[in-house]
Amino acid sequence: MSTLRNSTVEPGTYRSMPDAEYRAIDALSNSDLMAWANGEGAKKIDERNARVGTAAHAMVLEPEVAATKIVGLAPKQKRASYDGPDDMLVLSHSEYQTVEGCYESGLKHPQFSQIIKHAHANRDMCELAVVFTCPHTGILRKAKLDMHTDEWLYDIKTTQSDPDKFAASIANFAYHVQAATYLQASRAAGLELKGFRFAPMCKRKDMGYPCWIQEIDNDLLRAGWKENERLMGLYARYALDTTNDIG
């Protein structure tokens, strides 16, 4: 049985697509590809990290969502005690403090604050869902791009790493492959950008919730393009026949 993807969603760029609708698109994301390459099944989601990451993204990229759909509970109040609307993102007091600390730190950083300002003023440049055909294999792919300017594609990441450790983790966690995939998606969307940058938000209170802009070394980015192409070639070859084993 083939595991190649197909979808009723046509290739194109979709703005303001809800996350649930994006996840339902039957196309291969970067996370899907990396999980397949590493022989991993569906991972158990760390709910706390997911809530903090979603809320931090909303504060930077979707201020209207942050203002109307996020609830921070009082100290010692349990999430289970919340009895408000079902469509709210409910954060514990400590979770909300972390998100607020990250956001306020971002506002104080000269470059990160410009990202926030740009995102709030240019909503049409944020949260772009792109469905595209891989030029090497013909497989349908998808990516949700956080934000772009006229020159750069940005990806917001909440992390426990400081700037030095985050730089080292780019190759370790294959973030360079993600960068290449997202740039490929941006080209499919008709964007002509100079390159890719991460915008990390550190969740560590003891470090003052540092935020910064992280560029990728050109050699590492080129390696990301090559690795993406290699993995897609393997996926196209072996996903057609589940009896094959690449191990």
Side-chain angles (χ1 to χ4, degrees), residues 193-209:
L193 303 176
K194 185 176 180 179
F196 183 96
R197 291 172 171 171
F198 286 110
M201 307 176 81
C202 179
K203 297 178 289 184
R204 290 182 55 178
K205 182 179 180 180
D206 62 312
M207 297 183 65
Y209 306 111

Side-chain angles (χ1 to χ4, degrees), residues 157-225:
K157 278 199 182 298
T158 50
T159 179
Q160 290 285 1
S161 299
D162 61 31
D164 290 337
K165 290 181 179 178
F166 185 87
S169 70
I170 289 177
N172 293 338
F173 293 100
Y175 290 159
H176 60 313
V177 181
Q178 176 197 359
T181 302
Y182 284 16
L183 282 171
Q184 189 175 67
S186 72
R187 292 179 181 180
L191 301 175
E192 297 183 5
L193 303 176
K194 185 176 180 179
F196 183 96
R197 291 172 171 171
F198 286 110
M201 307 176 81
C202 179
K203 297 178 289 184
R204 290 182 55 178
K205 182 179 180 180
D206 62 312
M207 297 183 65
Y209 306 111
C211 297
W212 68 96
I213 306 302
Q214 184 75 54
E215 294 192 28
I216 302 179
D217 176 82
N218 287 334
D219 290 339
L220 188 57
L221 184 57
R222 280 192 289 270
W225 280 100

Side-chain angles (χ1 to χ4, degrees), residues 34-153:
M34 298 312 297
W36 177 84
N38 293 324
E40 300 170 351
K43 288 185 176 180
K44 183 178 179 180
I45 296 175
D46 185 318
E47 297 291 347
R48 185 184 191 281
N49 283 338
R51 287 192 297 271
V52 169
T54 299
H57 273 72
M59 283 193 170
V60 174
L61 302 172
E62 301 175 289
E64 70 284 356
V65 172
T68 61
K69 295 296 182 181
I70 296 177
V71 173
L73 299 180
K76 298 184 179 180
Q77 183 180 359
K78 302 295 185 182
R79 293 183 67 254
S81 69
Y82 174 76
D83 61 357
D86 293 337
D87 63 344
M88 303 295 285
L89 176 58
V90 182
L91 304 180
S92 69
H93 182 68
S94 64
E95 290 168 351
Y96 191 83
Q97 281 189 314
T98 296
V99 173
E100 194 172 49
C102 287
Y103 182 70
E104 290 177 354
S105 175
L107 288 174
K108 296 173 184 176
H109 187 280
Q111 290 178 292
F112 205 104
S113 62
Q114 291 303 307
I115 290 177
I116 297 173
K117 182 178 179 180
H118 177 84
H120 290 193
N122 299 276
R123 298 293 298 109
D124 61 332
M125 291 184 170
C126 301
E127 297 288 339
L128 278 65
V130 183
V131 180
F132 64 103
T133 301
C134 172
H136 307 295
T137 65
I139 293 173
L140 197 66
R141 302 208 63 182
K142 65 179 179 181
K144 196 163 190 183
L145 312 180
D146 280 349
M147 189 196 82
H148 71 88
T149 63
D150 291 335
E151 290 188 312
W152 296 95
L153 182 61

